[in-house]
């Protein structure tokens, strides 16, 4: 899966607003809604929250990957948001989440969706990389950090 | 006519029962492949052993010698023909072209080396040993050369999976090489059968004519494969309109039979047509289902094939070629070990790795028998050479597995420490479930999850729950052992595998809460029982 094809500057937010899980998710979702590729915001939101209810997607070390499967989209959509101060996302390790990567994937179509999430999370394994992402000055810089990964 | 059919039905009865029982004994008691048991069944009940015993009611033995080139009746041999078509059709369906293309670099080097060297050695040793075979292009020599090429990687795959070496560079190279091995072996067979059909004596035919035949055989294979691969997705789509997987499977099989007949008509072996159709359909999404649906006839017919092959073993004829058989076996082994091992060294493996790859390419199986059967039926090789083929097969089955296990002990088979992933560091993720039923269910869910991620899921062995899950250069192995599921993969794919497993397990939460919201099982059980009122329940 080509990260470059999926992400562009419209899908990145360097200063994501929100003080709770609900707000963060809604604000991230709105980034995707603005692209016009989400047919039904309410349905998509429900899918995201439903997944979050099963287990927090705040994985570790300040990274969260809220995601959901929904028919409100026809192909994989993704966006990235940074909250410099961090937000309590009920992460497994209790650390406030700062880097958010959201994906929505169609529930009926197959595709490398989980693989995409895994690929992008792998970028974030190194602490140095996470620091760089959080402190990125421009959207282009952020994207190039994610795309230009050691292969 | 009636008597003929009576005998046929009785023969089949004895064959399927004997094949199943001996197959079971070999697999479960002797820890040998089932094929060998079925082969042994044929040897025991065949015309050269018990089958010759006079039974008064039949006015002869159950398996009398019909006095033709084949030691079994044409009616019975027809079953073996259909079985060989099923075998090759399934082999084609199983072929994993995308993975092969991915690893084609090292794999084809290794596969090609093994095929060329073992063909040449097998041919040359025949020319040197027999006074009446004077020419490299002698039909008998060509056939024995072809016989020497076929690798059956199923045994290797099973051993490597059990030892978690499937995703090692050696394992991946062996698998890719084996795909090429199959394809080249079958093209080679096509060419040799073509040449042999034209040749009348050992005198050989002009090179020009051989070229034309080879071109025709290769052309038929290539054109029908290309057309097949182009047409297959559309065909699969149209077949799906029937909304019945059975229809799709059976019609596909019908096509395999049709193309088999067609390839025989143009002067090639039947099995080539079957293989081509299988190969073409292997890339469609109905491939997996088709294989599953055909499993029933596969399980019925294929043991018959191996048993009939066993029946053709004439021990008296084998005695005379014992020396040649040993020599040929040694040469066949050398052909694979050096033919595959030497290219492996050039591909970056050290001696250890090269030996492992050579050992992995040793086992022989179905294809060897099919080629030998074709040779016997066409009269190119006699019962003595058929016996030699069986000897090689047996020797490979006995020697290869322990040898392979031995070679895989110790460190890396790579010459230089290249990248991490090339060293084959495999991580294993294990999950325990409260029972096998639960594990079965989760396994199904996980495999479906991988398929949704557009991975190819391939069951390595029909008797054990071992799966290969592949996409591009990613190879994941899933093994279920009763209530345990373990998934092996390289460290860089571990995150993906864990995430996918997590998602599937979380889905299970939905399923469980769904179950809870259902009526209680007791109530449902009571409802079900109420419906049975008036009918005495036999089981709980």
């Amino acid at each position: 899966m080509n990260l470059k094809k999926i992400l562009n500057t419209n899908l990145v937010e360097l200063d994501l607003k929100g003080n709770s899980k609900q707000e963060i998710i809604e604000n991230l979702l709105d980034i995707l809604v603005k692209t016009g590729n989400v047919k039904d915001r309410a349905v998509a939101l429900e899918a995201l929250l439903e997944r979050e209810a099963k287990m927090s997607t705040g994985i570790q070390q300040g990274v969260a990957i809220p995601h959901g499967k929904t028919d409100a989209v026809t192909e994989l959509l993704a966006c990235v948001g940074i909250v410099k101060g961090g937000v309590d996302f009920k992460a497994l390790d209790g650390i406030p989440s700062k880097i958010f990567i959201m994906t929505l994937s169609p529930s009926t179509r197959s595709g490398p969706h989980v693989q995409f999430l895994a690929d992008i999370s792998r970028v974030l394994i190194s602490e140095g990389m996470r620091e760089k992402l959080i402190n990125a000055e421009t959207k282009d810089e952020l994207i190039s950090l994610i795309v230009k990964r050691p292969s | 006519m009636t008597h003929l059919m009576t005998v046929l039905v009785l023969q089949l009865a004895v064959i399927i029962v004997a094949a199943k029982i001996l197959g079971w004994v070999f697999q479960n008691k002797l820890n040998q492949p089932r094929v060998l048991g079925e082969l042994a069944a044929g040897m025991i009940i065949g015309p050269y052993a018990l089958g010759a015993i006079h039974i008064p009611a039949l006015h002869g033995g159950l398996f009398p010698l019909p006095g033709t080139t084949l030691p079994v009746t044409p009616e019975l041999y027809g079953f073996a023909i259909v079985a060989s078509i099923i075998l090759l059709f399934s082999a084609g369906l199983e072929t994993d072209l995308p993975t092969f293309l991915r690893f084609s670099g090292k794999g084809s080097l290794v596969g090609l080396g093994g095929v060329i060297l073992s063909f040449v050695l097998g041919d040359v040793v025949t020319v040197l040993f027999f006074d009446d075979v004077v020419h490299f292009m002698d039909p008998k020599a060509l056939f024995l050369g072809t016989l020497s090429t076929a690798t059956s990687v199923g045994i290797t795959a099973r051993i490597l999976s059990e030892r978690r070496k499937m995703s090692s560079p050696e394992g991946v190279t062996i698998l890719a090489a084996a795909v090429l091995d199959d394809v080249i072996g079958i093209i080679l067979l096509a060419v040799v059968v073509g040449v042999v059909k034209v040749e009348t004596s050992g005198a050989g035919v002009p090179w020009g004519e051989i070229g034309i035949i080879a071109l025709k055989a290769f052309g038929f294979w290539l054109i029908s494969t290309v057309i097949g691969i182009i047409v297959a997705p559309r065909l699969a789509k149209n077949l799906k309109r029937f909304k019945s997987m059975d229809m799709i499977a059976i019609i596909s099989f019908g096509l395999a039979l049709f193309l088999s007949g067609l390839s025989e008509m143009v002067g090639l072996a039947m099995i080539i047509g079957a293989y081509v159709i299988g190969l073409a359909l292997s890339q469609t999404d109905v491939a997996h289902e088709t294989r599953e649906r055909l499993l029933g006839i596969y399980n019925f017919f294929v043991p018959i094939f191996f048993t009939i092959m066993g029946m053709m073993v004439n021990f008296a004829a084998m005695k005379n070629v014992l020396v040649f058989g040993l020599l040929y076996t040694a040469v066949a082994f050398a052909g694979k070990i050096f033919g595959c091992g030497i290219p492996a060294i050039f591909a970056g493996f050290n001696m250890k790795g090269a030996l492992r790859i050579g050992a992995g390419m040793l086992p022989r199986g179905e294809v060897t028998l099919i080629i030998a059967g074709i040779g016997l039926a066409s009269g190119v090789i006699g019962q003595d050479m058929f016996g030699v083929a069986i000897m090689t097969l047996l020797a490979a089955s006995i020697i290869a597995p322990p040898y392979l296990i031995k070679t895989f002990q110790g460190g890396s088979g790579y010459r230089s420490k290249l990248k991490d992933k090339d060293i084959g560091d495999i991580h294993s993720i294990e999950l325990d479930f409260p029972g096998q039923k639960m594990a079965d269910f989760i396994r199904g869910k996980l495999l479906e999850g991988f398929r949704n991620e557009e991975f190819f899921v391939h069951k390595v062995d029909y008797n054990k729950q071992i799966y290969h899950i592949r996409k591009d250069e990613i190879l994941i192995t899933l093994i279920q052992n009763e209530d345990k599921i373990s998934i092996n993969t390289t460290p860089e794919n571990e995150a993906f595998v864990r995430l996918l497993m997590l998602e599937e397990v979380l889905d299970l939460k939905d399923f469980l809460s769904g179950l809870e919201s259902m009526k209680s099982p007791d109530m449902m059980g009571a409802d079900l029982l109420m419906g049975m009122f008036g009918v005495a329940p036999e089981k709980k």
Side-chain angles (χ1 to χ4, degrees):
Chain A
M1 174 123 313
N2 199 335
L3 294 167
K4 219 181 258 180
K5 269 188 192 155
I6 290 185
L7 288 177
N8 61 51
T9 47
N10 293 329
L11 294 169
V12 174
E13 181 55 61
L14 295 178
D15 185 19
L16 188 67
K17 302 283 184 256
N19 295 314
S20 66
K21 187 175 259 203
Q22 178 87 22
E23 284 176 26
I24 293 283
I25 286 181
E26 292 212 24
N27 290 342
L28 279 166
L29 179 58
D30 283 333
I31 297 176
L32 294 177
V33 170
K34 262 182 234 156
T35 63
N37 290 327
V38 181
K39 275 178 278 184
D40 189 332
R41 185 182 183 276
V43 170
L45 182 63
E46 196 189 315
L48 288 163
L49 292 176
E50 199 181 302
R51 170 61 187 80
E52 214 61 43
K54 287 182 202 163
M55 184 189 270
S56 172
T57 58
I59 38 178
Q60 277 168 56
Q61 303 295 338
V63 178
I65 46 168
H67 57 273
K69 281 197 165 188
T70 168
D71 287 329
V73 297
T74 51
E75 58 183 347
L76 179 77
L77 299 179
C79 64
V80 180
I82 304 289
V83 180
K84 288 201 166 59
V87 177
D88 177 16
F89 212 67
K90 307 275 180 294
L92 300 177
D93 57 2
I95 297 173
S97 304
K98 293 179 177 175
I99 303 172
F100 295 89
I101 297 151
M102 173 179 276
T103 65
L104 282 177
S105 52
S107 49
T108 45
R109 261 181 64 187
S110 66
H113 304 140
V114 178
Q115 219 184 343
F116 173 84
L117 268 178
D119 275 357
I120 206 165
S121 337
R122 220 163 60 198
V123 181
L124 306 170
I125 284 176
S126 93
E127 198 185 335
M129 193 63 172
R130 292 195 297 269
E131 285 295 310
K132 277 188 198 161
L133 276 179
I134 293 164
N135 297 320
E137 305 260 317
T138 67
K139 293 180 174 182
D140 283 312
E141 188 191 341
L142 187 73
I143 288 176
S144 66
L145 279 170
I146 294 175
V147 172
K148 197 177 59 188
R149 65 200 170 105
S151 54
Chain B
M1 182 68 185
T2 320
H3 178 69
L4 217 61
M5 290 303 122
T6 311
V7 172
L8 179 65
V9 168
L10 291 174
Q11 286 178 334
L12 283 174
V14 173
I15 288 174
I16 56 176
V17 174
K20 280 290 163 196
I21 292 175
L22 267 131
W24 184 87
V25 169
F26 267 64
Q27 189 172 36
N28 295 301
K29 298 290 161 195
L30 305 176
N31 215 3
Q32 287 287 328
R34 208 169 40 196
V35 179
L36 288 190
E38 291 159 1
L39 209 55
M43 294 180 192
I44 295 168
I45 63 169
Y48 300 108
L50 297 183
I53 295 171
H54 190 88
I55 299 171
L58 291 175
H59 311 293
L62 180 59
F63 295 99
L65 284 169
T68 48
T69 43
L70 285 176
V72 295
T73 58
E75 302 87 67
L76 193 56
Y77 193 67
F79 277 84
I81 292 285
V82 176
S84 67
I85 290 170
I86 296 170
L87 251 171
L88 265 287
F89 178 54
S90 304
L93 273 178
E94 264 183 57
T95 307
D96 189 347
L97 272 183
T99 310
F100 165 65
L101 292 175
R102 270 279 153 186
F103 297 112
S104 50
K106 285 173 198 170
S108 43
L109 211 62
V110 168
L112 207 60
V115 168
I116 292 173
L117 193 64
S118 47
F119 180 81
V120 171
L121 285 180
D123 189 308
V124 167
V125 77
T126 313
V127 175
L128 292 179
F129 197 85
F130 293 103
D131 292 336
D132 60 331
V133 181
V134 288
H135 197 280
F136 187 78
M137 297 305 291
D138 186 282
K140 191 164 155 185
L142 285 178
F143 232 93
L144 282 157
T146 311
L147 259 178
S148 174
T149 61
T151 293
S152 168
V153 85
I155 299 167
T156 303
R158 193 162 66 207
I159 292 172
L160 293 188
S161 285
E162 281 168 6
R163 309 203 153 246
R164 302 227 180 107
K165 296 287 185 195
M166 205 69 234
S167 319
S168 64
E170 292 94 338
V172 168
T173 306
I174 291 169
L175 278 198
V179 177
L180 189 87
D181 197 291
D182 269 356
V183 174
I184 298 180
I186 283 164
I187 297 170
L188 204 59
L189 179 69
V191 174
V192 169
V193 167
V195 172
V196 163
K197 276 187 181 167
V198 177
E199 280 185 356
T200 43
S201 67
V205 280
W207 278 101
E209 207 167 320
I210 289 170
I212 292 169
I213 295 162
L215 216 62
K216 201 173 98 179
F218 185 70
F220 178 82
W221 176 81
L222 189 70
I223 292 170
S224 50
T225 304
V226 169
I227 293 176
I229 288 175
I230 295 171
V231 174
R234 193 163 303 162
L235 180 74
K237 206 170 152 191
N238 279 318
L239 284 176
K240 274 191 204 157
R241 290 202 188 138
F242 288 118
K243 299 228 182 293
S244 152
M245 278 314 300
D246 281 323
M247 287 281 281
I248 296 173
I250 299 299
I251 291 176
S252 312
F253 179 54
L255 282 173
L257 288 171
F258 179 73
L259 203 70
S260 302
L262 209 63
S263 50
E264 184 76 27
M265 277 167 71
V266 300
L268 304 169
M270 281 197 195
I271 54 164
I272 289 150
Y275 186 72
V276 163
I277 288 281
L279 196 64
L281 285 171
S282 69
Q283 293 322 303
T284 63
D285 46 0
V286 298
H288 181 77
E289 298 277 346
T290 303
R291 257 181 67 76
E292 300 264 289
R293 304 288 146 148
L294 289 179
L295 199 59
I297 60 166
Y298 185 98
N299 284 340
F300 173 71
F301 270 96
V302 171
I304 297 180
F305 173 79
F306 293 123
T307 311
I308 290 178
M309 289 298 134
M311 288 184 174
M312 297 192 187
V313 179
N314 181 353
F315 305 102
M318 254 168 112
K319 242 183 347 208
N320 305 325
V321 287
L322 213 56
V323 177
F324 177 72
L326 289 175
L327 188 69
Y328 179 81
T329 303
V331 159
F333 282 18
K336 287 296 175 194
I337 290 181
F338 294 109
C340 300
I342 293 170
I345 287 179
F346 284 106
F349 290 94
N350 59 20
M351 277 302 278
K352 190 176 263 173
L355 272 181
R356 285 173 184 169
I357 289 173
M361 298 293 283
L362 281 185
R364 271 125 223 278
E366 301 83 351
V367 182
T368 306
L369 284 173
I370 289 172
I371 297 174
I374 289 171
L376 193 62
S378 59
V380 182
I381 58 169
Q383 291 186 328
D384 49 351
M385 290 304 120
F386 186 83
V388 167
I390 301 284
M391 269 173 76
T392 317
L393 177 77
L394 290 179
S397 307
I398 295 165
I399 297 168
Y403 178 58
L404 183 66
I405 290 169
K406 201 166 175 293
T407 56
F408 264 92
Q409 285 163 355
S412 164
Y414 241 54
R415 198 169 38 198
S416 51
K417 299 235 165 193
L418 296 174
K419 279 182 254 160
D420 266 350
K421 67 172 179 183
D422 283 329
I423 294 169
D425 184 14
I426 303 299
H427 284 202
S428 183
I429 305 161
E430 306 219 351
L431 291 178
D432 281 325
F433 295 96
Q436 178 159 0
K437 270 190 184 165
M438 184 78 171
D440 284 344
F441 179 76
I442 305 272
R443 185 195 71 229
K445 292 281 293 172
L446 287 174
L447 293 177
E448 195 189 314
F450 280 112
R451 281 196 199 101
N452 283 339
E453 290 284 309
E454 294 177 339
F455 276 73
F456 290 95
V457 175
H458 169 70
K459 191 168 182 185
V460 178
D461 190 288
Y462 266 102
N463 305 302
K464 295 202 172 89
Q465 300 293 350
I466 303 173
Y467 296 84
H468 279 165
I469 300 153
R470 293 186 226 178
K471 182 160 76 178
D472 301 339
E473 71 274 18
I474 304 174
L475 194 146
I476 297 159
T477 320
L478 184 150
I479 301 165
Q480 184 195 348
N481 196 355
E482 290 171 5
D483 56 355
K484 276 191 184 64
I485 292 179
S486 65
I487 298 190
N488 307 319
T489 189
T490 49
E492 71 263 32
N493 295 314
E494 198 182 333
F496 160 64
V497 173
R498 283 184 184 275
L499 206 56
L500 186 108
M501 289 171 91
L502 171 72
E503 291 302 315
E504 294 302 332
V505 171
L506 287 179
D507 258 0
L508 213 63
K509 261 190 174 173
D510 272 356
F511 178 72
L512 288 178
S513 55
L515 269 183
E516 272 164 20
S517 69
M518 251 166 52
K519 262 197 243 179
S520 79
D522 282 351
M523 283 286 287
M524 198 174 269
D527 278 358
L528 286 168
L529 261 183
M530 298 280 264
M532 283 176 69
F533 194 72
V535 186
E538 286 179 0
K539 284 179 191 163
K540 266 185 208 171

